[in-house]
Amino acid sequence: MNTESSQPGTQQEMSFIDHLEALRWHIIRAAIAVVVFTIAAFLAKDFLFHDLILGPSRADFWTYRTFNQVGEWLGATALHMDKPTFDLQNRQMSGQLTMHISTSFVVGLALGFPYTFWELWRFIRPGLYPHEQANSRGAVFFVSVLFILGLLFGYFVAAPLSINFLASYQLDATIENQIDLQSYISTLTTMSLSCAFVFELPMIVFFLAKAGLITHEIMRVYRKHAIVVILVVAAVITPPDVSAQIIVTIPIILLYEVSIHIARVVRRNSTRRLNEQLAQNQGVS
């Protein structure tokens, strides 16, 4: 469905029904992509669960080995991570099949997110003015890259730190940690997806700055408040361990600083464009 005719300034404007029809096809194509990725994840059961989902539950997981090596190199015992001491159990007759289906769907949503956003952007983009389209060039690419980086950070850093801490925490040595499969997978997917969306902060600031709802001056004034919020977010998505919270907090603060720079660039470009328009109007008059 071609929506180019809805671009401002064109001679032919789409009706409301035409817009709904165009949106419907964008949603259908995005849903098909999610279904395809879901089916692919469902068929790749061995890789999905043994290598990907259950990876953080084993001692040879990349994160644990890396932290131990860095800890030995720096002589920092705080970075040492022992093997998670817990057993995964399934207590429902259809539990493993249900988790197979639901986990495959979550993976399908995550893998299909870049394409889904691209379809949404294809629907929104024709409604923008030419200069807005030019200034928003690369939005799909940067949204996708930040989402993937956040997903990887959550899977390799935030989730393993949480799983290792919570699984190793004991009230008494006589109490064994027998973790339900659903609880384990929920922790892993929640941590990973939370970081994926948190990493979208620069793009969120970009669009808010374009809309004039936020400026780099405001972000600088409220930097201390933002750091407090970031610490709270890090405390929520990580276990109550200081080293883990610091590891998660640092990249989020860096993203906030990058967002300040993005808002400043957006403001500068908007001011330059406004000055150019004023100069042209004065030249015409």
Side-chain angles (χ1 to χ4, degrees):
M1 176 64 64
N2 185 10
T3 59
E4 294 297 329
S5 58
S6 62
Q7 180 176 339
T10 57
Q11 295 180 354
Q12 182 180 0
E13 295 290 338
M14 295 178 64
S15 66
F16 178 73
I17 300 299
D18 292 333
H19 280 292
L20 290 180
E21 179 67 12
L23 178 61
R24 183 173 73 91
W25 281 106
H26 286 297
I27 294 175
I28 289 175
R29 286 192 291 268
I32 291 174
V34 172
V35 170
V36 170
F37 283 118
T38 300
I39 294 174
F42 184 86
L43 296 177
K45 182 181 68 173
D46 293 338
F47 171 77
L48 176 62
F49 283 90
H50 183 270
D51 298 329
L52 193 65
I53 300 298
L54 299 180
S57 68
R58 294 192 294 270
D60 61 348
F61 187 61
W62 179 85
T63 302
Y64 305 144
R65 291 188 285 107
T66 302
F67 270 74
N68 292 337
Q69 292 173 359
V70 173
E72 293 177 0
W73 182 62
L74 296 176
T77 57
L79 294 178
H80 181 75
M81 301 181 69
D82 297 322
K83 177 185 181 299
T85 54
F86 66 94
D87 296 323
L88 286 175
Q89 293 190 358
N90 171 54
R91 296 182 174 87
Q92 297 181 2
M93 183 66 68
S94 61
Q96 295 197 46
L97 176 60
T98 302
M99 290 309 301
H100 187 190
I101 296 174
S102 61
T103 304
S104 299
F105 179 67
V106 172
V107 173
L109 286 175
L111 295 179
F113 176 81
Y115 181 80
T116 300
F117 183 80
W118 181 64
E119 284 290 348
L120 178 63
W121 184 248
R122 287 181 61 196
F123 175 75
I124 296 175
R125 188 175 184 275
L128 302 177
Y129 290 99
H131 70 274
E132 294 175 333
Q133 295 182 8
N135 293 332
S136 302
R137 187 178 294 111
V140 175
F141 172 78
F142 288 110
V143 166
S144 301
V145 168
L146 290 173
F147 182 85
I148 294 173
L149 290 177
L151 196 64
L152 293 175
F153 179 81
Y155 175 76
F156 284 105
V157 179
L161 290 175
S162 300
I163 292 172
N164 186 274
F165 176 85
L166 296 174
S168 302
Y169 186 84
Q170 283 186 312
L171 296 175
D172 189 82
T174 60
I175 303 176
E176 296 182 358
N177 285 328
Q178 298 179 349
I179 310 300
D180 186 74
L181 177 64
Q182 181 178 1
S183 176
Y184 170 82
I185 295 180
S186 176
T187 300
L188 178 63
T189 55
T190 300
M191 295 291 176
S192 301
L193 292 177
S194 297
C195 290
F197 287 109
V198 168
F199 268 56
E200 295 293 344
L201 177 62
M203 293 306 300
I204 295 175
V205 170
F206 172 78
F207 287 113
L208 291 177
K210 292 292 296 181
L213 299 177
I214 195 172
T215 63
H216 65 282
E217 292 94 345
I218 294 177
M219 296 185 67
R220 283 179 174 175
V221 169
Y222 290 98
R223 179 186 276 117
K224 295 181 179 179
H225 302 80
I227 292 176
V228 173
V229 174
I230 291 172
L231 290 172
V232 172
V233 172
V236 170
I237 65 178
T238 58
D241 179 67
V242 176
S243 59
Q245 292 177 4
I246 292 175
I247 292 173
V248 173
T249 299
I250 290 175
I252 301 179
I253 291 178
L254 292 177
L255 288 173
Y256 186 84
E257 295 299 326
V258 171
S259 300
I260 293 177
H261 176 70
I262 291 174
R264 182 171 62 250
V265 172
V266 171
R267 175 71 174 273
R268 183 179 61 199
N269 292 340
S270 299
T271 303
R272 184 178 66 249
R273 185 169 56 252
L274 179 60
N275 292 334
E276 292 175 353
Q277 292 177 352
L278 292 175
Q280 291 177 357
N281 294 335
Q282 291 176 357
V284 172
S285 60

